[in-house]
Amino acid sequence: MKLSRLAGPAGRASWGLADQALSSLSNLAVGVVVARSSTVSEFGVYALAFGGYTIALNVSRAVATEPLAVRHSGNRTPDWERAVRASTATAMLAGFLAMLVGLAIAAFPGVPGKSLVIAFAVTMPGLLLQDAWRWAFFVVGEGGRAFVNDLIWLVAMLAIFGGLQFTGTASAFTLTFGWGLGAVIAAIAGRFQAGISPRRQLIREWVRRNWDLTPKYVGEMLAVSGTIQVYMLGITAAAGLAATAGIRGAQVLLGPVNVLNQGIRMISVPEAARALRHSYRRLWLVGLAISFGVGAGALAWGGIFLLLPAVVGRQLLGPGVWNQAHNVLIPVILLQALGASNAGAFAILRALTAATRGLRVRLISSAILITCGVGGAYLWGAKGAAWGLAGASFATLLLWWSEAARAITAHRRTH
C-alpha cells in the first residue's frame, strides 16, 4: 500500500490531522520562541502581523485552492494536473501581491515592529505556495505527500532556529523570518513531489473558469480573517496591546485545537463532495461527524490544558505573556471550540457550491464577533473581550447549521 493511499474517509482524515499537526507545530514553535524573545508589546505587534498573514492565506485559498477542492477532488488526471499548475501559480501571485502590501505598510513612518512586518512580507510567496501544494495533494487523496512537505518545513525551520540560537542572533525578526524561510524551502520541495510546476500563463484562465465562486469565496474569507484583524485592532484600541497579547498567547497554547480544526477542514470539502455524490443523507451525516469530532476534541484538549501547572505556561510563553493569557484561557477555549464546530456546516455549503449562503453567514458572523469582542473589551477589558467573542462564536455556530439545512433543502428541490 502506498504511503499516501490509506483507504477510506478515516485514512484521509488521519492524514489530514497528522499533516495539520506538523503545520500547527510550526506555528506553535514560532509563536512560543517569539513570545520568549520579545516584550508583551512586541508580541502584540507579532499577533497583528500574524493576523495579516492569515488574511493573505485565506484570500489565496479562496482564489486558488478552494475551487480546486470543490471541482477537482478525485484522482490524478490530466485535468487535475492542469488545474494544479493554474492554482499554484495563482497562489504565488497572491503571495507576491501580499508581499508588496506588507512592504508598503512597513514603509509608513511610525509603524511599530517594522522588522516583523518585513519578515512576514518577504516570505509570503513561499508561505502561500507551500499551502497550495498541500491542498493539491489532499484533493486527490495523497495526504502522505502533504505530510512529508510539512515535515520538510518543520525540519528546515528547526535547523534555522538552532543556527540562530547557536550564533546568538535569535530575535523576534530573525525567528519569524526563519519560520517563513522554512516554508519557502518546503514550497520548492512541493514542486518535485508533485512532478509538475506552477504555470503563470494559466492564471487568467483559472480565474475566469472559477469566477462564479471566487468573488464570494474571497468575500467570505476576507470576512472571517478580516474580522479577526478588526476585532484584534479594536481590542487593542479599547484595552491595550497587553489584552491582544493575552488572547493571542492563549491561542498559541491551544495550537492542538487548530490541529483538529484546520486538519479536518483540509479534507472536509473533498469528503463532503464525495458524500454528496452518494446521497443528501450521507452529506448531512458527514457534516455532523466532522463538527462533533472537531468540537469535542477541542473541548477535551482545553480541559486537559486547564489542569496543567501554571509553570508550563510560564515556560512556554514567558511570565509576562502567560499572565495575560491565563486570565482569558477559559473563554478562548470556548471561542476556539465553538468556532471549530462550524467545520461540518462549512463543508456542506462548499460541497453544494452554495457560495452566496456561505458569504451571508460570514458577513452576519463578522458583525456579531466585532460588536461583542470590541464591546466587551471597552466595557470589561481583556476578559470582557474574550467572553464576548466566545458568546458571539456560539451564535454564529447556530447560524452556520441553520444555513446548511436550508441549503440542502434548496439543492434537493432544484436537482
Side-chain angles (χ1 to χ4, degrees):
M1 180 182 296
K2 292 182 179 180
L3 180 68
S4 59
R5 292 283 187 181
L6 289 180
R12 292 189 290 269
S14 296
W15 278 123
L17 290 173
D19 170 75
Q20 190 58 39
L22 288 179
S23 179
S24 295
L25 185 58
S26 299
N27 293 341
L28 174 63
V30 70
V32 167
V33 295
V34 170
R36 292 177 61 85
S37 304
S38 59
T39 66
V40 173
S41 296
E42 287 174 335
F43 191 72
V45 173
Y46 167 82
L48 295 177
F50 194 91
Y53 155 67
T54 302
I55 292 175
L57 180 65
N58 284 334
V59 170
S60 174
R61 288 178 174 178
V63 175
T65 54
E66 290 275 2
L68 183 72
V70 170
R71 288 179 166 157
H72 297 278
S73 294
N75 300 312
R76 277 186 179 248
T77 62
D79 186 47
W80 172 84
E81 290 189 0
R82 184 177 181 85
V84 170
R85 291 181 188 275
S87 64
T88 52
T90 305
M92 283 189 68
L93 176 61
F96 281 112
L97 294 176
M99 179 182 70
L100 294 176
V101 171
L103 293 176
I105 292 173
F108 275 94
V111 173
K114 288 186 178 185
S115 62
L116 283 172
V117 177
I118 292 171
F120 276 102
V122 297
T123 57
M124 199 67 74
L127 286 163
L128 301 191
L129 178 58
Q130 190 272 341
D131 184 73
W133 286 126
R134 295 169 65 215
W135 280 75
F137 295 138
F138 272 111
V139 299
V140 287
E142 297 180 358
R145 294 181 188 273
F147 178 87
V148 170
N149 191 263
D150 269 321
L151 182 60
I152 292 170
W153 181 2
L154 181 62
V155 171
M157 181 194 73
L158 292 178
I160 295 169
F161 283 5
L164 293 172
Q165 294 291 343
F166 181 77
T167 58
T169 56
S171 66
F173 164 72
T174 58
L175 291 167
T176 303
F177 180 73
W179 166 77
L181 186 59
V184 173
I185 294 170
I188 295 171
R191 177 258 175 268
F192 296 99
Q193 288 180 280
I196 53 179
S197 303
R199 185 172 295 172
R200 60 180 178 81
Q201 293 86 352
L202 297 176
I203 294 176
R204 182 175 297 178
E205 173 190 324
W206 178 257
V207 173
R208 185 174 62 251
R209 286 178 57 190
N210 295 291
W211 192 248
D212 59 322
L213 301 177
T214 297
K216 295 167 186 175
Y217 285 177
V218 170
E220 190 177 330
M221 291 303 183
L222 281 176
V224 64
S225 53
T227 295
I228 294 172
Q229 195 72 342
V230 168
Y231 72 60
M232 291 295 266
L233 288 169
I235 290 169
T236 301
L241 276 171
T244 305
I247 292 174
R248 178 57 189 159
Q251 290 173 334
V252 167
L253 293 177
L254 297 174
V257 174
N258 290 328
V259 171
L260 285 171
N261 187 10
Q262 299 299 326
I264 289 296
R265 283 180 187 269
M266 184 71 70
I267 58 94
S268 64
V269 176
E271 212 57 56
R274 293 184 183 98
L276 177 60
R277 290 195 285 267
H278 184 273
S279 68
Y280 290 110
R281 181 176 181 273
R282 176 170 291 188
L283 175 63
W284 185 256
L285 291 175
V286 165
L288 288 175
I290 290 169
S291 282
F292 179 79
V294 178
L299 287 175
W301 170 255
I304 292 172
F305 202 90
L306 286 173
L307 299 177
L308 291 177
V311 66
V312 176
R314 286 194 292 269
Q315 287 297 318
L316 287 172
L317 299 179
V321 175
W322 163 250
N323 289 336
Q324 299 298 325
H326 182 261
N327 291 331
V328 297
L329 191 56
I330 292 176
V332 171
I333 289 172
L334 293 175
L335 167 66
Q336 300 286 86
L338 292 168
S341 297
N342 68 33
F346 171 87
I348 289 172
L349 293 178
R350 282 291 193 265
L352 297 172
T353 62
T356 300
R357 293 179 180 274
L359 177 59
R360 180 164 58 241
V361 175
R362 291 290 191 193
L363 293 175
I364 296 173
S365 299
S366 294
I368 296 173
L369 285 162
I370 291 171
T371 301
C372 294
V374 178
Y378 180 77
L379 294 173
W380 299 293
K383 283 188 176 181
W387 279 109
L389 291 172
S393 189
F394 176 73
T396 61
L397 176 63
L398 298 180
L399 281 173
W400 273 106
W401 278 102
S402 173
E403 203 63 48
R406 292 175 182 174
I408 289 178
T409 300
H411 196 274
R412 182 184 286 116
R413 289 173 180 169
T414 56
H415 291 76

Short mmCIF file of all heavy atoms in Angstrom, two decimals, residues 5 64 68 71-90 132-133 135-137 139-140 142 145 190-200 202-203 205-206 209:
data_model
loop_
_atom_site.label_atom_id
_atom_site.label_comp_id
_atom_site.label_asym_id
_atom_site.label_seq_id
_atom_site.Cartn_x
_atom_site.Cartn_y
_atom_site.Cartn_z
N ARG A 5 -1.97 6.52 0.38
CA ARG A 5 -3.25 5.97 -0.02
C ARG A 5 -3.89 5.10 1.05
O ARG A 5 -4.31 3.98 0.78
CB ARG A 5 -3.06 5.14 -1.30
CG ARG A 5 -2.70 5.99 -2.52
CD ARG A 5 -3.90 6.71 -3.06
NE ARG A 5 -3.58 7.39 -4.30
CZ ARG A 5 -4.45 8.11 -4.97
NH1 ARG A 5 -5.68 8.25 -4.53
NH2 ARG A 5 -4.10 8.72 -6.08
N ALA A 64 -7.38 30.33 -5.14
CA ALA A 64 -6.57 29.28 -5.75
C ALA A 64 -6.98 27.87 -5.37
O ALA A 64 -7.12 27.00 -6.25
CB ALA A 64 -5.10 29.50 -5.38
N LEU A 68 -10.23 24.42 -6.41
CA LEU A 68 -9.58 23.15 -6.73
C LEU A 68 -10.22 22.01 -5.94
O LEU A 68 -10.49 20.93 -6.49
CB LEU A 68 -8.08 23.24 -6.40
CG LEU A 68 -7.24 22.01 -6.74
CD1 LEU A 68 -7.07 21.86 -8.25
CD2 LEU A 68 -5.88 22.09 -6.05
N ARG A 71 -13.97 21.37 -7.25
CA ARG A 71 -14.20 20.93 -8.63
C ARG A 71 -13.22 19.87 -9.15
O ARG A 71 -13.41 19.35 -10.24
CB ARG A 71 -14.16 22.14 -9.57
CG ARG A 71 -15.39 23.00 -9.38
CD ARG A 71 -15.43 24.22 -10.25
NE ARG A 71 -16.77 24.79 -10.25
CZ ARG A 71 -17.06 26.04 -10.54
NH1 ARG A 71 -16.08 26.88 -10.85
NH2 ARG A 71 -18.31 26.47 -10.52
N HIS A 72 -12.18 19.57 -8.39
CA HIS A 72 -11.18 18.62 -8.91
C HIS A 72 -10.80 17.56 -7.89
O HIS A 72 -9.71 16.99 -7.97
CB HIS A 72 -9.94 19.39 -9.37
CG HIS A 72 -10.21 20.33 -10.50
ND1 HIS A 72 -10.26 19.95 -11.82
CD2 HIS A 72 -10.47 21.67 -10.49
CE1 HIS A 72 -10.52 21.00 -12.58
NE2 HIS A 72 -10.66 22.05 -11.80
N SER A 73 -11.70 17.27 -6.94
CA SER A 73 -11.44 16.19 -6.00
C SER A 73 -11.63 14.85 -6.70
O SER A 73 -12.56 14.67 -7.50
CB SER A 73 -12.39 16.28 -4.80
OG SER A 73 -12.13 17.44 -4.05
N GLY A 74 -10.77 13.90 -6.41
CA GLY A 74 -10.88 12.58 -7.04
C GLY A 74 -9.51 11.96 -7.22
O GLY A 74 -8.80 11.73 -6.24
N ASN A 75 -9.14 11.70 -8.46
CA ASN A 75 -7.86 11.06 -8.77
C ASN A 75 -7.01 11.96 -9.65
O ASN A 75 -7.49 12.92 -10.23
CB ASN A 75 -8.10 9.72 -9.48
CG ASN A 75 -8.91 8.75 -8.61
OD1 ASN A 75 -8.60 8.56 -7.44
ND2 ASN A 75 -9.94 8.15 -9.19
N ARG A 76 -5.73 11.58 -9.76
CA ARG A 76 -4.83 12.31 -10.67
C ARG A 76 -5.28 12.09 -12.11
O ARG A 76 -5.39 10.96 -12.57
CB ARG A 76 -3.40 11.81 -10.51
CG ARG A 76 -2.64 12.43 -9.35
CD ARG A 76 -1.20 11.97 -9.38
NE ARG A 76 -0.42 12.57 -8.30
CZ ARG A 76 0.54 13.46 -8.47
NH1 ARG A 76 0.85 13.88 -9.70
NH2 ARG A 76 1.22 13.95 -7.44
N THR A 77 -5.53 13.18 -12.80
CA THR A 77 -5.91 13.14 -14.21
C THR A 77 -5.21 14.30 -14.90
O THR A 77 -4.70 15.23 -14.23
CB THR A 77 -7.43 13.30 -14.38
OG1 THR A 77 -7.82 14.59 -13.87
CG2 THR A 77 -8.21 12.21 -13.66
N PRO A 78 -5.17 14.32 -16.23
CA PRO A 78 -4.61 15.49 -16.92
C PRO A 78 -5.33 16.78 -16.55
O PRO A 78 -4.70 17.85 -16.46
CB PRO A 78 -4.80 15.13 -18.40
CG PRO A 78 -4.77 13.63 -18.42
CD PRO A 78 -5.46 13.21 -17.16
N ASP A 79 -6.64 16.69 -16.31
CA ASP A 79 -7.39 17.89 -15.92
C ASP A 79 -6.93 18.37 -14.55
O ASP A 79 -6.79 19.58 -14.31
CB ASP A 79 -8.88 17.56 -15.91
CG ASP A 79 -9.73 18.79 -15.65
OD1 ASP A 79 -9.48 19.83 -16.31
OD2 ASP A 79 -10.64 18.73 -14.79
N TRP A 80 -6.68 17.43 -13.62
CA TRP A 80 -6.18 17.81 -12.29
C TRP A 80 -4.81 18.46 -12.42
O TRP A 80 -4.54 19.48 -11.75
CB TRP A 80 -6.09 16.56 -11.42
CG TRP A 80 -5.39 16.81 -10.10
CD1 TRP A 80 -5.95 17.30 -8.95
CD2 TRP A 80 -4.01 16.58 -9.80
NE1 TRP A 80 -5.00 17.40 -7.96
CE2 TRP A 80 -3.80 16.97 -8.45
CE3 TRP A 80 -2.92 16.10 -10.53
CZ2 TRP A 80 -2.55 16.87 -7.84
CZ3 TRP A 80 -1.68 16.01 -9.92
CH2 TRP A 80 -1.50 16.38 -8.59
N GLU A 81 -3.93 17.90 -13.23
CA GLU A 81 -2.59 18.47 -13.38
C GLU A 81 -2.64 19.91 -13.90
O GLU A 81 -1.94 20.79 -13.40
CB GLU A 81 -1.75 17.60 -14.32
CG GLU A 81 -1.38 16.25 -13.72
CD GLU A 81 -0.39 15.51 -14.58
OE1 GLU A 81 0.01 16.04 -15.64
OE2 GLU A 81 0.00 14.39 -14.20
N ARG A 82 -3.51 20.14 -14.89
CA ARG A 82 -3.63 21.49 -15.43
C ARG A 82 -4.20 22.43 -14.35
O ARG A 82 -3.75 23.58 -14.21
CB ARG A 82 -4.54 21.48 -16.66
CG ARG A 82 -4.66 22.84 -17.35
CD ARG A 82 -5.52 22.72 -18.61
NE ARG A 82 -5.63 24.00 -19.29
CZ ARG A 82 -4.74 24.48 -20.16
NH1 ARG A 82 -3.66 23.78 -20.45
NH2 ARG A 82 -4.92 25.67 -20.72
N ALA A 83 -5.17 21.94 -13.59
CA ALA A 83 -5.77 22.76 -12.54
C ALA A 83 -4.74 23.09 -11.45
O ALA A 83 -4.71 24.22 -10.94
CB ALA A 83 -6.97 22.04 -11.93
N VAL A 84 -3.89 22.13 -11.12
CA VAL A 84 -2.88 22.38 -10.09
C VAL A 84 -1.84 23.38 -10.59
O VAL A 84 -1.38 24.25 -9.84
CB VAL A 84 -2.22 21.05 -9.66
CG1 VAL A 84 -0.99 21.32 -8.78
CG2 VAL A 84 -3.21 20.20 -8.90
N ARG A 85 -1.43 23.25 -11.84
CA ARG A 85 -0.50 24.24 -12.40
C ARG A 85 -1.08 25.65 -12.29
O ARG A 85 -0.38 26.60 -11.94
CB ARG A 85 -0.21 23.92 -13.87
CG ARG A 85 0.61 22.65 -14.10
CD ARG A 85 0.85 22.47 -15.59
NE ARG A 85 1.47 21.19 -15.90
CZ ARG A 85 2.78 20.95 -15.84
NH1 ARG A 85 3.60 21.93 -15.48
NH2 ARG A 85 3.27 19.77 -16.14
N ALA A 86 -2.37 25.75 -12.57
CA ALA A 86 -3.02 27.07 -12.52
C ALA A 86 -3.20 27.55 -11.09
O ALA A 86 -2.94 28.72 -10.77
CB ALA A 86 -4.36 26.99 -13.23
N SER A 87 -3.66 26.67 -10.20
CA SER A 87 -3.97 27.10 -8.83
C SER A 87 -2.70 27.45 -8.06
O SER A 87 -2.69 28.43 -7.29
CB SER A 87 -4.75 26.01 -8.10
OG SER A 87 -3.98 24.85 -7.93
N THR A 88 -1.62 26.69 -8.24
CA THR A 88 -0.37 27.02 -7.54
C THR A 88 0.22 28.33 -8.06
O THR A 88 0.77 29.12 -7.29
CB THR A 88 0.65 25.88 -7.67
OG1 THR A 88 0.80 25.51 -9.04
CG2 THR A 88 0.20 24.66 -6.87
N ALA A 89 0.11 28.56 -9.36
CA ALA A 89 0.59 29.84 -9.91
C ALA A 89 -0.23 31.00 -9.36
O ALA A 89 0.31 32.08 -9.04
CB ALA A 89 0.51 29.81 -11.43
N THR A 90 -1.53 30.79 -9.22
CA THR A 90 -2.40 31.82 -8.65
C THR A 90 -2.03 32.10 -7.20
O THR A 90 -2.02 33.26 -6.76
CB THR A 90 -3.87 31.39 -8.76
OG1 THR A 90 -4.19 31.08 -10.12
CG2 THR A 90 -4.80 32.49 -8.28
N ALA A 132 -0.64 25.85 -0.98
CA ALA A 132 -1.32 25.39 -2.20
C ALA A 132 -0.92 23.97 -2.57
O ALA A 132 -1.76 23.17 -3.03
CB ALA A 132 -1.01 26.33 -3.36
N TRP A 133 0.36 23.61 -2.38
CA TRP A 133 0.77 22.23 -2.64
C TRP A 133 0.06 21.26 -1.71
O TRP A 133 -0.36 20.17 -2.13
CB TRP A 133 2.29 22.08 -2.47
CG TRP A 133 3.13 22.67 -3.56
CD1 TRP A 133 4.14 23.57 -3.42
CD2 TRP A 133 3.05 22.38 -4.96
NE1 TRP A 133 4.69 23.88 -4.63
CE2 TRP A 133 4.04 23.15 -5.61
CE3 TRP A 133 2.23 21.56 -5.74
CZ2 TRP A 133 4.25 23.12 -6.98
CZ3 TRP A 133 2.43 21.53 -7.12
CH2 TRP A 133 3.42 22.29 -7.72
N TRP A 135 -2.94 21.50 -0.41
CA TRP A 135 -4.30 21.31 -0.90
C TRP A 135 -4.32 20.45 -2.16
O TRP A 135 -5.19 19.59 -2.33
CB TRP A 135 -4.95 22.66 -1.18
CG TRP A 135 -5.46 23.33 0.06
CD1 TRP A 135 -4.73 23.96 1.02
CD2 TRP A 135 -6.83 23.43 0.47
NE1 TRP A 135 -5.55 24.46 2.00
CE2 TRP A 135 -6.84 24.15 1.69
CE3 TRP A 135 -8.03 23.01 -0.07
CZ2 TRP A 135 -8.02 24.43 2.37
CZ3 TRP A 135 -9.21 23.31 0.62
CH2 TRP A 135 -9.19 24.00 1.82
N ALA A 136 -3.37 20.67 -3.05
CA ALA A 136 -3.31 19.90 -4.29
C ALA A 136 -3.17 18.41 -3.99
O ALA A 136 -3.78 17.56 -4.66
CB ALA A 136 -2.15 20.38 -5.15
N PHE A 137 -2.38 18.06 -2.99
CA PHE A 137 -2.21 16.66 -2.64
C PHE A 137 -3.47 16.08 -2.00
O PHE A 137 -3.88 14.96 -2.29
CB PHE A 137 -1.02 16.49 -1.69
CG PHE A 137 0.31 16.84 -2.31
CD1 PHE A 137 1.25 17.57 -1.59
CD2 PHE A 137 0.62 16.45 -3.60
CE1 PHE A 137 2.47 17.91 -2.16
CE2 PHE A 137 1.84 16.78 -4.17
CZ PHE A 137 2.77 17.50 -3.45
N VAL A 139 -6.65 16.90 -2.39
CA VAL A 139 -7.84 16.74 -3.23
C VAL A 139 -7.78 15.45 -4.04
O VAL A 139 -8.81 15.01 -4.56
CB VAL A 139 -8.06 17.95 -4.16
CG1 VAL A 139 -8.27 19.21 -3.37
CG2 VAL A 139 -6.92 18.11 -5.15
N VAL A 140 -6.59 14.85 -4.17
CA VAL A 140 -6.51 13.54 -4.84
C VAL A 140 -6.15 12.44 -3.86
O VAL A 140 -5.67 11.37 -4.25
CB VAL A 140 -5.49 13.58 -6.01
CG1 VAL A 140 -6.05 14.38 -7.17
CG2 VAL A 140 -4.14 14.12 -5.57
N GLU A 142 -3.79 12.21 -1.59
CA GLU A 142 -2.37 11.97 -1.34
C GLU A 142 -1.91 12.74 -0.11
O GLU A 142 -0.98 13.55 -0.15
CB GLU A 142 -1.54 12.34 -2.57
CG GLU A 142 -1.88 11.49 -3.80
CD GLU A 142 -1.06 11.86 -5.02
OE1 GLU A 142 -0.24 12.80 -4.93
OE2 GLU A 142 -1.24 11.21 -6.05
N ARG A 145 1.86 12.85 0.98
CA ARG A 145 2.77 13.82 0.37
C ARG A 145 2.68 15.17 1.08
O ARG A 145 3.70 15.85 1.28
CB ARG A 145 2.45 13.98 -1.11
CG ARG A 145 2.72 12.73 -1.94
CD ARG A 145 2.40 12.99 -3.41
NE ARG A 145 2.47 11.78 -4.19
CZ ARG A 145 3.58 11.30 -4.77
NH1 ARG A 145 4.71 11.96 -4.62
NH2 ARG A 145 3.55 10.18 -5.47
N GLY A 190 7.79 20.95 -2.78
CA GLY A 190 6.48 20.55 -3.26
C GLY A 190 6.42 20.40 -4.76
O GLY A 190 5.70 19.53 -5.28
N ARG A 191 7.15 21.24 -5.47
CA ARG A 191 7.18 21.14 -6.93
C ARG A 191 7.71 19.77 -7.36
O ARG A 191 7.21 19.15 -8.30
CB ARG A 191 8.04 22.27 -7.51
CG ARG A 191 8.19 22.21 -9.04
CD ARG A 191 9.55 21.64 -9.41
NE ARG A 191 9.68 21.46 -10.85
CZ ARG A 191 9.38 20.35 -11.50
NH1 ARG A 191 8.86 19.32 -10.86
NH2 ARG A 191 9.57 20.25 -12.80
N PHE A 192 8.74 19.26 -6.69
CA PHE A 192 9.32 17.97 -7.05
C PHE A 192 8.45 16.81 -6.58
O PHE A 192 8.39 15.77 -7.23
CB PHE A 192 10.74 17.87 -6.49
CG PHE A 192 11.68 18.88 -7.07
CD1 PHE A 192 11.98 20.05 -6.38
CD2 PHE A 192 12.25 18.69 -8.32
CE1 PHE A 192 12.84 21.00 -6.93
CE2 PHE A 192 13.11 19.63 -8.88
CZ PHE A 192 13.40 20.78 -8.18
N GLN A 193 7.77 16.99 -5.46
CA GLN A 193 6.85 15.96 -5.00
C GLN A 193 5.69 15.78 -5.99
O GLN A 193 5.26 14.66 -6.26
CB GLN A 193 6.28 16.32 -3.63
CG GLN A 193 7.26 16.20 -2.48
CD GLN A 193 6.60 16.60 -1.18
OE1 GLN A 193 6.47 17.79 -0.87
NE2 GLN A 193 6.17 15.61 -0.43
N ALA A 194 5.16 16.87 -6.48
CA ALA A 194 4.02 16.82 -7.38
C ALA A 194 4.42 16.40 -8.79
O ALA A 194 3.61 15.84 -9.54
CB ALA A 194 3.31 18.17 -7.43
N GLY A 195 5.66 16.68 -9.17
CA GLY A 195 6.10 16.36 -10.52
C GLY A 195 5.61 17.34 -11.57
O GLY A 195 5.75 17.09 -12.77
N ILE A 196 5.04 18.44 -11.15
CA ILE A 196 4.56 19.48 -12.06
C ILE A 196 4.91 20.84 -11.48
O ILE A 196 5.17 20.97 -10.28
CB ILE A 196 3.04 19.38 -12.31
CG1 ILE A 196 2.28 19.37 -10.99
CG2 ILE A 196 2.69 18.17 -13.15
CD1 ILE A 196 0.78 19.31 -11.15
N SER A 197 4.91 21.86 -12.33
CA SER A 197 5.30 23.20 -11.91
C SER A 197 4.14 24.18 -12.09
O SER A 197 3.28 23.98 -12.95
CB SER A 197 6.49 23.69 -12.75
OG SER A 197 7.58 22.83 -12.64
N PRO A 198 4.11 25.24 -11.26
CA PRO A 198 3.13 26.30 -11.50
C PRO A 198 3.33 26.91 -12.89
O PRO A 198 4.47 27.01 -13.37
CB PRO A 198 3.44 27.32 -10.40
CG PRO A 198 4.16 26.55 -9.35
CD PRO A 198 4.94 25.50 -10.08
N ARG A 199 2.24 27.30 -13.52
CA ARG A 199 2.33 27.90 -14.85
C ARG A 199 1.54 29.21 -14.83
O ARG A 199 0.30 29.20 -14.82
CB ARG A 199 1.80 26.95 -15.91
CG ARG A 199 1.96 27.47 -17.34
CD ARG A 199 1.59 26.40 -18.36
NE ARG A 199 2.52 25.27 -18.29
CZ ARG A 199 2.34 24.13 -18.97
NH1 ARG A 199 1.26 23.98 -19.73
NH2 ARG A 199 3.22 23.16 -18.87
N ARG A 200 2.26 30.31 -14.85
CA ARG A 200 1.61 31.62 -14.71
C ARG A 200 0.68 31.92 -15.88
O ARG A 200 -0.27 32.70 -15.75
CB ARG A 200 2.65 32.72 -14.56
CG ARG A 200 3.61 32.86 -15.73
CD ARG A 200 4.62 33.97 -15.50
NE ARG A 200 5.58 34.09 -16.59
CZ ARG A 200 5.33 34.71 -17.73
NH1 ARG A 200 4.16 35.30 -17.92
NH2 ARG A 200 6.25 34.77 -18.67
N LEU A 202 -1.56 30.21 -17.03
CA LEU A 202 -2.89 29.65 -16.79
C LEU A 202 -3.68 30.42 -15.74
O LEU A 202 -4.84 30.09 -15.48
CB LEU A 202 -2.77 28.19 -16.34
CG LEU A 202 -2.15 27.21 -17.35
CD1 LEU A 202 -2.01 25.83 -16.72
CD2 LEU A 202 -3.00 27.13 -18.60
N ILE A 203 -3.09 31.47 -15.16
CA ILE A 203 -3.77 32.18 -14.07
C ILE A 203 -5.07 32.81 -14.57
O ILE A 203 -6.13 32.67 -13.93
CB ILE A 203 -2.85 33.25 -13.47
CG1 ILE A 203 -1.65 32.59 -12.77
CG2 ILE A 203 -3.62 34.13 -12.49
CD1 ILE A 203 -0.64 33.58 -12.23
N GLU A 205 -6.96 32.04 -17.12
CA GLU A 205 -7.95 31.00 -17.41
C GLU A 205 -8.56 30.46 -16.12
O GLU A 205 -9.77 30.25 -16.03
CB GLU A 205 -7.29 29.86 -18.17
CG GLU A 205 -8.18 28.65 -18.39
CD GLU A 205 -7.41 27.46 -18.93
OE1 GLU A 205 -6.49 27.65 -19.74
OE2 GLU A 205 -7.73 26.32 -18.53
N TRP A 206 -7.73 30.25 -15.10
CA TRP A 206 -8.21 29.72 -13.83
C TRP A 206 -9.21 30.68 -13.17
O TRP A 206 -10.28 30.26 -12.70
CB TRP A 206 -7.03 29.47 -12.90
CG TRP A 206 -7.40 28.98 -11.54
CD1 TRP A 206 -7.45 29.69 -10.38
CD2 TRP A 206 -7.80 27.64 -11.19
NE1 TRP A 206 -7.83 28.90 -9.34
CE2 TRP A 206 -8.05 27.63 -9.81
CE3 TRP A 206 -7.95 26.47 -11.91
CZ2 TRP A 206 -8.45 26.49 -9.13
CZ3 TRP A 206 -8.35 25.32 -11.24
CH2 TRP A 206 -8.60 25.33 -9.88
N ARG A 209 -12.54 30.69 -15.21
CA ARG A 209 -13.34 29.47 -15.08
C ARG A 209 -14.03 29.38 -13.73
O ARG A 209 -15.08 28.74 -13.61
CB ARG A 209 -12.45 28.24 -15.28
CG ARG A 209 -12.04 27.99 -16.72
CD ARG A 209 -11.13 26.79 -16.81
NE ARG A 209 -11.74 25.59 -16.25
CZ ARG A 209 -11.10 24.46 -16.02
NH1 ARG A 209 -9.79 24.37 -16.28
NH2 ARG A 209 -11.72 23.41 -15.53
#
